[in-house]
Amino acid sequence: MPRSHCRISRAITAIALLGLLWLGAAAADTLEDALPGLADRALPVKKQAVAAIVAAGEVRALPILEGLLVGDLYAREGDPPVVLVRSAGSVVRSIHPITGADLGEVDRASIKKITLTNALRTELRGAIAALSLGSPDPQVRLHSARALMQDPNPAAVAALRARLGQERDTRVRATLDLAMAVADLQVGTAESQRAAIAHLDGSLYPEARNALATLLATDALDPAVAVAARQALAGIDARVAWNARAETLFFGLSLGSVLVLAAIGLAITFGVMGVINMAHGELMMLGAYTTYLVQQAMPGLLDYSLFIAIPAAFIVAGLFGVAIERTVIRFLYGRPLETLLATFGISLILQQLVRTTVSAQNVTVENPSWMSGSWQLNPGLALTFNRLYILVFAMLVFLALLLILKRTALGLQVRAVSQNRAMARAMGVRSARVDALTFGLGAGIAGVAGVALSQLTNVGPNMGQAYIIDSFMVVVFGGVGNLWGTLIGGTVLGVANKFMEPWAGAVLAKILVLVFIILFIQKRPRGLFPQRGRAAEG
Amino acid sequence: MGGQVERWQYLNPGKTLAETLDISHQTLLYVEGVTVSFDGFRALNDLSFYVDVGELRCVIGPNGAGKTTMMDVVTGKTKPDRGFVFFGQSINLLELDEPRIAQAGIGRKFQKPTVFEQHRVIENLELAMAGDKRVWPTLFARLSGEERDRIDEVLTIIGLNEHAGRPAGALSHGQKQWLEIGMLLMQDPLLLLVDEPVAGMTHQEMERTAQLLLSLEGKHSVVVVEHDMDFVRSIAKRVTVLNQGAVLAEGSMDEVQHDPRVVEVYLGE
Amino acid sequence: MRIVKALRGDTGGQVMLAVLLAVGILVPILSLAVPAASPWHVSTYTVTLLGKYLTYALLAVAVDLVWGYLGILSLGHGAFFALGGYAMGMYLMRQVGDRGVYGNPTLPDFMVFLNWPELPWFWHGFDRFWFAALMAILVPGVLAYCFGYLAFRSRVTGVYLSIITQALTYALMLAFFRNEMGFGGNNGLTDFKDILGVSLQADGTRAGLFIASALALALGYLASRYIVSSRLGRVAVAIRDAESRTRFIGYRVERAKAAIFTFSAMLAGVAGALYVPQVGIINPGEFSPLNSIELVIWVAVGGRATLYGAVAGALLVNYGKTVFTGIFPDAWLFALGGLFVLVTLFLPRGIAGLMTLRRAG
């Protein structure tokens, strides 16, 4: 390592730091020899000693450098001349900086903290990162490679290049390559700069973009290099823009999936039974609280809690739904506006019920470990697992519902009743039972949606209200009585909302979506996918 | 007809639709090449059909032949996929919505009697009365003596004098049918479209209805859709038979009754 | 003359107006002329509370006009009320003058706080009472006309219409929460000082506002009563019960609907304009969908399509709310929720329906 270092230092002697390093390499060969220099009060001597330790390039030097950086390294009389100090309560113990051996209790008055300048601190950070490159843990290596990229210097380049020769881990290799290129941009010749630019072209690491931008800002740049850098920068910007669009799309789809989950139960009760269920949001809230209670009841099974909560929430909300249908709604068929008012009353009661029995405050629903974290698609784009799973979950619920309606006996009866109640009854369908089950199904799905929501937003007594208007918008926009309409309507509204947010702001985007739907209903009163035919007329 | 135009003139100084009506060819209603589809099912299939001024026409046909859809198209409830519908030579009905078609002089009685059940019989007639039906005039409208006389006259014609003050919802089925016919008369239209006027009526009531419709002939053009063959025979001069959304046969009752195609449609099923 | 005729047969309305007249005269006298020590004295607090109830009653009449007679269940009438309130609030804000916290003679406090250099264009003119009063009627009216014309022309009816009216007030609520809108954002408009040059806190002003509310309710009631007993009112009921039939006899349904809807929104705006000086604040919470739907239940409790029932319902429910939230604050939502369910299930015609049944039986 000292040899390669010398070669580079000779090449760029203009940099003062380099001179120091070179001097350091010449003066001291071992860590041991450098220690007294650290304790010296004169700054040049101290610098020299640090350079020597760095140049030695030994992993053993890491504790010394780190101690120096955080202020745990003290000078003292005796051997070794510097010690690492660790205090436990009022007791202060000294530790040998190289061997790590405990040197016993010391008196604070007998030792003196080694002070640093800011320039030296920066240098230390780089040196620590360079040394960490030798760590056996690939995560540490990756981290130090990225740290070196922030602040490239010839020593770092040397360390990177040395590491590159022996690195096996592909991700670390890629990062090392990138870091080298970034370093070359700043300290290389025109030729190596061009090679580095070619290497950085299309890279999504923010450091690559910064390095190119910094390069373009420097004076007296080789014109060919400037042209290449400008092109590369444009290319990166274009890719970053695509990344941003992909991310917006993901957020939009995520919002859409939540809207679909929230609206799909409503679409069933509204489309099949003509019932406006204003308590739908509160049934979702019940699902979210079921998740909370499941987690409270089984604190040891947090990672499995959602799998217990999903069926539990379906049953809890479903039973509430059946109860609401049997006690209130069945007396109000054919009077949709009255069902709207009655179910609104029920929503108030459910809210207050939760407030008095659980708490008026929001409750905390934990995310299982597998829901946290993200899927790193490329250096600039990560998709969080919770949104991703909920997107998938929404699709599964949608498909399940579609299968229930298309393939089961209940589904056949539900469709029959929704198309012609009187005729279905005449054919022997027990419409009262079908109504109760349909409403229960819609409510159960609301409960399941509540489980998903508990992983994304605050769970509180008012959470249902936030979704009810949006859910109705989705159903009305998609077209009543059409599950596909709900799917597409929810997705379109979610994506549109998120794409408008960057330039309009979240609130204005929402207002615009509402205004759009109000106007859309004027053009197509029956939504995107209307029910057609003579039955739908008049 | 002249009186009609004068009345419009008086209430509405601009040119009304009824004024622009051109019936110089003695044909009041032109339905030409009209096709209506619902989800692939052709309710009307290239239907062409004409009604002369002052004529009483009966339309018969099996269920699903397109009789009601034809009325829906003429009154603006359903827009056809193809074809023309003209009132007189110059009024294109496809460009107008329901209220304007009604104001142009086409009245309709529905298959299922629809009267305003919360309103009294007399109020039903008042609402239907020909006149200025814009918002502001209706806010300040008061019944003139002449208008009261007209309502009394119609009440007598439909035999609901004693029920004038009752809510229409309290009437029997047959009485509602009569009230709806009465509302048609109040509208004083040039063309009356009457869908199953005698459904649910007693034999006696049927006879009175037949008399009433016959009395309208000459002053108004009337198109009657009816299933009851005895009733049709009692009033019809010309009969049009619809089948599968198109005209199958047209002529006097005797002619169509002996038309082999008609016999096949009615008996073959 | 014809307006008085419209009251013929409206026993409930006659009783209501008689009581309103008595209360409108008695309450100010008992408040201002009777000494505070006397048991007959009515406190200023009570006067203000009653005045607030009367504005609610006027709002309920507006809702009953469209719901009871036209069949339009508007879940957005709170928006028209709030818009009227904001118009009055803007006037009251300008009346504060340089007595605000920041002492700026033209800019209301919140604009100074937001570092706005000058008054936004839509705040001009609101320093004059007549202009603010006009706007309190015109703004809700124009909004209702545009919204109604579009919706009714496209034949959006029933629950669809209810849902988009709800979306309308929701969108307005979100908009008014934004500071950039220029209506004080979250906090709305408050800390009023004077109205028409007299202090809002004075007992006489409170009594005056009470009388104005009673007068507005009486006039609004009479006008509504005139409409529903005119031929237009009969057309409205015809539309409610058989909309397409009404078209086939030649009425332009969308125009009749838009006209009555607009009038109703204007009444709501007047109610809002009278409400704000009495409660001393207007904020975006007034646009909340909950408010709009709650006022529908006032009408349902009182009885739809009677107008006087709406007045009775508004007074009863709000009195109940005041009493209830005083005794068991937590139980109010249970009570309100239960009221929604019970009235729709067992009392579809409300208290007024109950009374006519008793009279008939």
Side-chain angles (χ1 to χ4, degrees):
Chain A
M1 226 190 270
R3 267 186 56 206
S4 62
H5 162 73
C6 287
R7 200 172 63 220
I8 290 174
S9 60
R10 250 181 265 119
I12 319 160
T13 44
I15 302 173
L17 176 66
L18 268 184
L20 269 173
L21 284 168
W22 183 76
L23 271 174
D29 281 309
T30 66
L31 289 178
E32 203 97 19
D33 292 343
L35 290 183
L38 284 181
D40 203 297
R41 283 176 145 210
L43 194 60
V45 182
K46 210 185 274 176
K47 279 184 179 170
Q48 209 172 352
V50 169
I53 294 170
V54 171
E58 290 189 52
V59 179
R60 279 194 304 157
L62 263 180
I64 305 178
L65 297 177
E66 276 165 358
L68 190 58
L69 187 63
V70 299
D72 279 349
L73 198 68
Y74 284 72
R76 68 163 195 179
E77 299 296 320
D79 187 54
V82 295
V83 287
L84 284 168
V85 164
R86 210 150 287 159
S87 47
S90 58
V91 185
V92 183
R93 306 191 76 84
S94 59
I95 289 156
H96 194 286
I98 301 173
T99 63
D102 194 340
L103 299 175
E105 210 169 308
V106 292
D107 180 10
R108 274 228 186 248
S110 71
I111 54 175
K112 196 173 176 308
K113 193 176 195 166
I114 299 172
T115 52
L116 290 175
T117 61
N118 273 338
L120 213 49
R121 252 187 217 109
T122 314
E123 195 185 325
L124 271 177
R125 275 192 208 104
I128 290 170
L131 284 178
S132 312
L133 279 181
S135 164
D137 182 351
Q139 279 301 323
V140 173
R141 296 204 298 274
L142 200 64
H143 188 76
S144 68
R146 294 200 73 173
L148 284 172
M149 229 190 296
Q150 308 280 359
D151 178 33
N153 58 59
V157 174
L160 288 170
R161 184 154 296 153
R163 183 67 220 170
L164 193 57
Q166 24 183 312
E167 184 58 61
R168 297 261 177 277
D169 189 298
T170 47
R171 276 173 67 204
V172 180
R173 267 194 87 94
T175 314
L176 287 172
D177 266 340
L178 185 74
M180 296 261 310
V182 169
D184 274 344
L185 271 194
Q186 300 193 5
V187 294
T189 60
E191 197 176 327
S192 66
Q193 278 178 334
R194 275 217 298 279
I197 289 169
H199 192 85
L200 291 181
D201 198 356
S203 168
L204 283 167
Y205 286 99
E207 293 88 347
R209 194 194 172 282
N210 289 346
L212 284 170
T214 320
L215 180 70
L216 279 169
T218 52
D219 303 324
L221 194 61
D222 184 299
V225 173
V227 169
R230 214 163 277 134
Q231 272 177 358
L233 194 60
I236 289 178
D237 282 346
R239 281 197 68 186
V240 168
W242 274 110
N243 244 0
R245 272 174 226 141
E247 189 169 39
T248 310
L249 180 68
F250 175 67
F251 281 137
L253 288 176
S254 168
L255 177 62
S257 70
V258 171
L259 289 177
V260 169
L261 267 179
I264 200 161
L266 204 62
I268 292 186
T269 44
F270 192 12
V272 175
M273 306 162 73
V275 166
I276 301 297
N277 182 13
M278 294 295 277
H280 190 78
E282 277 60 36
L283 291 167
M284 280 161 57
M285 175 197 71
L286 286 181
Y289 272 90
T290 307
T291 318
Y292 168 72
L293 293 177
V294 165
Q295 289 188 351
Q296 293 297 307
M298 296 178 247
L301 295 173
L302 185 58
D303 276 0
Y304 306 97
S305 59
L306 293 190
F307 297 103
I308 305 163
I310 288 170
F314 184 84
I315 291 168
V316 169
L319 286 180
F320 265 93
V322 172
I324 293 170
E325 200 277 339
R326 284 290 86 186
T327 53
V328 177
I329 291 173
R330 74 180 165 123
F331 302 107
L332 299 173
Y333 282 120
R335 291 153 65 192
L337 296 180
E338 268 85 350
T339 61
L340 190 158
L341 293 178
T343 51
F344 182 76
I346 292 169
S347 80
L348 294 181
I349 293 173
L350 289 179
Q351 276 174 36
Q352 194 57 34
L353 192 70
V354 168
R355 241 179 242 130
T356 34
T357 56
V358 185
S359 157
Q361 257 70 52
N362 285 356
V363 295
T364 322
V365 177
E366 307 285 341
N367 287 11
S369 59
W370 50 269
M371 285 285 273
S372 45
S374 57
W375 180 26
Q376 195 82 34
L377 273 181
N378 66 38
L381 181 61
L383 309 183
T384 52
F385 281 135
N386 60 350
R387 291 186 182 277
L388 211 54
Y389 285 135
I390 286 168
L391 189 65
V392 174
F393 182 63
M395 293 304 112
L396 289 178
V397 171
F398 177 79
L399 287 178
L401 203 55
L402 212 57
L403 281 179
I404 290 176
L405 286 184
K406 293 261 189 267
R407 293 267 185 276
T408 65
L410 174 67
L412 183 66
Q413 293 179 343
V414 165
R415 281 180 292 144
V417 170
S418 80
Q419 276 162 26
N420 191 332
R421 181 171 289 267
M423 183 60 88
R425 213 181 257 159
M427 306 277 287
V429 175
R430 286 157 62 194
S431 64
R433 187 173 152 274
V434 170
D435 285 335
L437 288 179
T438 312
F439 202 81
L441 181 65
I445 288 168
V448 169
V451 178
L453 274 185
S454 76
Q455 297 297 308
L456 285 179
T457 59
N458 294 330
V459 174
N462 293 329
M463 68 180 288
Q465 286 189 324
Y467 286 92
I468 188 71
I469 293 183
D470 289 337
S471 312
F472 272 121
M473 290 297 122
V474 169
V475 174
V476 166
F477 177 62
V480 174
N482 188 324
L483 283 187
W484 287 101
T486 308
L487 179 71
I488 293 170
T491 312
V492 168
L493 291 184
V495 171
N497 207 331
K498 287 293 170 188
F499 269 94
M500 270 190 281
E501 266 180 26
W503 57 268
V507 178
L508 198 56
K510 200 168 169 112
I511 296 170
L512 289 175
V513 166
L514 286 175
V515 171
F516 163 74
I517 294 174
I518 291 173
L519 293 176
F520 177 84
I521 293 298
Q522 328 283 343
K523 276 278 149 223
R524 304 196 54 167
R526 286 169 199 281
L528 273 182
F529 299 98
Q531 279 179 323
R532 299 254 321 275
R534 226 162 117 165
E537 303 254 332
Chain B
M1 220 80 63
Q4 165 96 9
V5 172
E6 263 168 40
R7 180 142 68 200
W8 279 102
Q9 186 93 46
Y10 159 67
L11 284 167
N12 199 351
K15 251 203 168 198
T16 64
L17 279 167
E19 275 180 308
T20 60
L21 185 67
D22 175 5
I23 43 172
S24 51
H25 288 85
Q26 291 302 307
T27 303
L28 186 60
L29 181 70
Y30 299 78
V31 175
E32 279 182 359
V34 168
T35 300
V36 176
S37 312
F38 297 113
D39 278 337
F41 165 72
R42 286 203 164 179
L44 292 183
N45 191 3
D46 201 20
L47 172 75
S48 296
F49 174 78
Y50 308 90
V51 178
D52 289 345
V53 172
E55 177 190 14
L56 193 160
R57 173 78 63 91
C58 284
V59 177
I60 60 171
N63 276 327
K67 304 179 298 272
T68 301
T69 307
M70 186 264 291
M71 288 200 173
D72 285 348
V73 169
V74 173
T75 52
K77 189 178 178 193
T78 301
K79 293 286 170 210
D81 304 330
R82 272 207 310 276
F84 306 97
V85 184
F86 273 82
F87 192 46
Q89 313 267 92
S90 55
I91 301 175
N92 183 354
L93 291 181
L94 298 185
E95 287 172 355
L96 306 180
D97 59 6
E98 297 99 315
R100 308 206 73 198
I101 290 174
Q103 286 165 10
I106 297 181
R108 178 174 182 185
K109 190 201 113 20
F110 287 81
Q111 194 172 340
K112 189 177 151 231
T114 33
V115 293
F116 304 119
E117 309 222 334
Q118 298 282 318
H119 284 315
R120 294 177 297 159
V121 168
I122 193 170
E123 288 168 338
N124 270 278
L125 295 176
E126 180 194 341
L127 282 179
M129 185 169 55
D132 195 337
K133 290 181 173 171
R134 290 173 303 171
V135 172
W136 212 242
T138 43
L139 181 59
F140 300 109
R142 308 185 69 181
L143 281 178
S144 67
E146 207 177 309
E147 285 168 337
R148 273 177 213 284
D149 292 347
R150 175 67 186 147
I151 291 176
D152 283 342
E153 190 187 329
V154 169
L155 275 173
T156 315
I157 296 174
I158 61 176
L160 291 178
N161 262 327
E162 290 155 36
H163 305 286
R166 289 177 70 195
L171 297 180
S172 72
H173 183 82
Q175 285 169 326
K176 282 183 192 169
Q177 295 269 43
W178 276 94
L179 175 56
E180 213 183 350
I181 294 171
M183 287 164 75
L184 262 186
L185 296 177
M186 290 302 300
Q187 261 180 281
D188 204 9
L190 296 167
L191 173 65
L192 287 82
L193 303 174
V194 189
D195 204 348
E196 302 202 13
V198 295
M201 279 190 180
T202 62
H203 197 75
Q204 233 176 348
E205 286 171 328
M206 245 191 246
E207 255 172 45
R208 282 185 59 196
T209 310
Q211 273 174 8
L212 176 64
L213 290 176
L214 282 169
S215 75
L216 294 173
E217 194 186 358
K219 277 186 287 180
H220 309 262
S221 301
V222 186
V223 176
V224 181
V225 165
E226 188 49 73
H227 276 299
D228 191 306
M229 284 302 161
D230 289 336
F231 179 76
V232 172
R233 195 171 293 114
S234 69
I235 59 170
K237 304 237 164 37
R238 268 174 85 78
V239 177
T240 302
V241 185
L242 290 191
N243 186 40
Q244 295 183 351
V247 174
L248 183 69
E250 203 166 273
S252 70
M253 191 65 191
D254 277 343
E255 280 165 25
V256 299
Q257 249 178 334
H258 295 106
D259 188 317
R261 290 171 302 173
V262 177
V263 173
E264 190 194 348
V265 164
Y266 269 90
L267 299 178
E269 281 175 353
Chain C
M1 204 47 222
R2 292 180 68 189
I3 285 190
V4 176
K5 260 190 194 164
L7 278 177
R8 207 189 286 153
D10 178 23
T11 323
Q14 290 163 7
V15 171
M16 193 276 290
L17 285 174
V19 172
L20 190 64
L21 180 71
V23 170
I25 294 170
L26 271 181
V27 167
I29 293 176
L30 293 179
S31 167
L32 297 176
V34 176
S38 158
W40 290 98
H41 176 74
V42 175
S43 71
T44 307
Y45 170 79
T46 313
V47 173
T48 304
L49 193 67
L50 290 175
K52 191 175 87 170
Y53 288 171
L54 293 182
T55 62
Y56 284 153
L58 180 57
L59 177 58
V61 168
V63 171
D64 194 21
L65 194 57
V66 290
W67 186 32
Y69 292 90
L70 208 49
I72 297 171
L73 176 55
S74 165
L75 298 181
H77 254 58
F80 304 127
F81 180 78
L83 285 173
Y86 264 98
M88 183 53 70
M90 286 161 82
Y91 162 74
L92 296 172
M93 219 56 195
R94 297 289 307 268
Q95 287 293 296
V96 172
D98 58 5
R99 284 168 295 172
V101 179
Y102 297 105
N104 189 308
T106 44
L107 290 192
D109 276 347
F110 75 88
M111 292 188 194
V112 182
F113 182 74
L114 291 172
N115 285 322
W116 287 18
E118 57 184 11
L119 213 57
W121 61 268
F122 49 84
W123 272 77
H124 287 283
F126 278 94
D127 50 339
R128 275 164 299 219
F129 181 81
W130 67 265
F131 183 79
L134 189 68
M135 285 300 137
I137 299 172
L138 271 189
V139 171
V142 169
L143 176 67
Y145 183 78
C146 296
F147 179 86
Y149 178 76
L150 285 171
F152 303 140
R153 192 192 53 172
S154 322
R155 300 188 186 176
V156 180
T157 54
V159 293
Y160 285 87
L161 191 67
S162 300
I163 289 170
I164 64 166
T165 54
Q166 190 174 37
L168 173 78
T169 188
Y170 185 56
L172 281 169
M173 178 178 77
L174 292 177
F176 273 74
F177 265 124
R178 287 160 48 90
N179 280 329
E180 296 85 341
M181 276 290 281
F183 296 105
N186 230 349
N187 301 320
L189 310 175
T190 187
D191 289 333
F192 308 134
K193 309 276 191 229
D194 293 349
I195 183 166
L196 290 168
V198 293
S199 166
L200 263 181
Q201 307 308 323
D203 292 352
T205 317
R206 295 301 174 121
L209 284 168
F210 172 82
I211 295 172
S213 304
L215 207 61
L217 176 58
L219 291 178
Y221 184 88
L222 285 172
S224 303
R225 188 74 227 167
Y226 175 74
I227 291 178
V228 301
S229 54
S230 73
R231 189 182 291 170
L232 182 63
R234 287 195 279 284
V235 172
V237 172
I239 291 171
R240 180 191 75 190
D241 294 341
E243 177 164 336
S244 71
R245 188 73 184 91
T246 315
R247 271 197 199 97
F248 285 118
I249 55 175
Y251 290 98
R252 314 223 61 162
V253 166
E254 67 280 6
R255 292 193 184 169
K257 278 183 169 180
I260 296 177
F261 191 66
T262 304
F263 176 74
S264 164
M266 288 170 159
L267 277 189
V270 171
L274 285 163
Y275 168 84
V276 167
Q278 301 191 64
V279 298
I281 183 168
I282 175 81
N283 63 29
E286 293 294 336
F287 285 104
S288 124
L290 178 69
N291 282 17
S292 292
I293 202 165
E294 196 181 315
L295 69 95
V296 168
I297 207 67
W298 305 343
V299 179
V301 167
R304 287 170 61 180
T306 56
L307 291 182
Y308 68 87
V311 174
L315 298 180
L316 262 177
V317 176
N318 281 293
Y319 179 67
K321 186 176 187 174
T322 307
V323 172
F324 234 97
T325 46
I327 308 172
F328 325 99
D330 287 344
W332 168 243
L333 278 188
F334 281 129
L336 185 63
L339 201 58
F340 271 96
V341 177
L342 295 178
V343 167
T344 41
L345 279 185
F346 301 114
L347 215 58
R349 297 182 56 210
I351 296 169
L354 216 59
M355 291 191 332
T356 34
L357 261 183
R358 183 155 302 162
R359 215 179 303 145

